């Protein structure tokens, strides 16, 4: 069984923004399961339940062949959400991928904050670069 690691150097504070960021990274809303608390059991590549539960789960069938579920779990503070990734799946969902997820999260957060302050946001994609342009309404 592949070890499931808590990735503590990346934390998210808003579950909905994290979900939006996962969608921006290529998952669909149908592939992302969400619970209020750490209620979703994570399943290993062999179909057996792991001893960890998360508030967000992406089932292994959406992660890759022979993969484990990807999970996101509330920390003990009840606010911070961290990724749970198996050692096997770290080859694909590694620090580079997590960095892109964090960047997506910050882009979504920025757009939300600007919209709440009366701006209209437009995202311009040039190659691998995304630029958020804000215009005051």
């Amino acid at each position: 069984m592949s070890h499931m690691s808590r990735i503590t150097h990346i934390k998210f504070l808003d579950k909905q923004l994290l979900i939006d960021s996962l969608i921006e990274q290529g998952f669909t809303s149908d592939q992302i399961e969400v619970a209020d608390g750490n209620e979703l059991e994570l399943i290993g590549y062999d179909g057996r339940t792991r001893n960890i539960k998360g508030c967000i789960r992406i089932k292994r069938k959406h992660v890759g062949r022979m993969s484990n579920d990807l999970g996101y779990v509330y920390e003990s503070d009840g606010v911070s959400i961290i990724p749970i990734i198996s050692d096997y799946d770290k080859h694909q969902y590694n620090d580079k991928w997590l960095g892109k997820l964090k960047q997506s999260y910050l882009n979504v957060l920025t757009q939300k904050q600007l919209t709440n302050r009366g701006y209209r946001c437009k995202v311009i994609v040039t190659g691998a670069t995304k630029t958020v342009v804000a215009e005051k309404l």
Side-chain angles (χ1 to χ4, degrees), residues 6-8 10-15 18 38 55 72-83 102 105:
R6 299 167 72 89
I7 313 298
T8 58
I10 294 184
K11 297 183 182 201
F12 303 94
L13 300 177
D14 185 306
K15 186 168 36 175
L18 174 55
N38 291 334
C55 61
Y72 294 84
V73 60
Y74 278 112
E75 289 265 75
S76 58
D77 64 9
V79 177
S80 303
I81 303 170
I82 60 168
K102 186 68 170 187
Y105 180 88

Side-chain angles (χ1 to χ4, degrees), residues 1 41-44 46-52:
M1 222 189 266
E41 294 179 326
L42 298 183
I43 308 296
D46 56 1
R48 294 191 341 214
T49 301
R50 299 304 186 94
N51 62 350
I52 191 160

Side-chain angles (χ1 to χ4, degrees), residues 4 15 31 47-48 56-57 59 79 88 90 121 125 129 131 137:
M4 302 289 274
K15 186 168 36 175
Q31 296 172 330
R48 294 191 341 214
I56 297 173
R57 173 178 65 193
K59 287 190 174 181
V79 177
Y88 175 83
K90 283 184 186 173
C121 296
V125 179
T129 303
T131 305
L137 297 176

Side-chain angles (χ1 to χ4, degrees), residues 38-119:
N38 291 334
E39 304 162 14
L40 301 170
E41 294 179 326
L42 298 183
I43 308 296
Y45 71 94
D46 56 1
R48 294 191 341 214
T49 301
R50 299 304 186 94
N51 62 350
I52 191 160
K53 295 180 180 181
C55 61
I56 297 173
R57 173 178 65 193
I58 301 169
K59 287 190 174 181
R60 59 194 174 101
K61 68 181 180 181
H62 305 299
V63 176
R65 187 171 179 266
M66 297 301 294
S67 289
N68 302 274
D69 288 352
L70 288 181
Y72 294 84
V73 60
Y74 278 112
E75 289 265 75
S76 58
D77 64 9
V79 177
S80 303
I81 303 170
I82 60 168
I84 304 291
I85 302 174
S86 74
D87 289 345
Y88 175 83
D89 293 310
K90 283 184 186 173
H91 71 280
Q92 181 174 354
Y93 300 97
N94 53 24
D95 282 340
K96 183 177 179 181
W97 184 85
L98 287 168
K100 289 179 183 178
L101 179 63
K102 186 68 170 187
Q103 187 61 51
S104 290
Y105 180 88
L106 294 173
N107 286 343
V108 172
L109 175 62
T110 299
Q111 291 174 60
K112 179 182 176 183
Q113 290 174 337
L114 287 168
T115 300
N116 289 344
R117 291 187 174 118
Y119 289 84

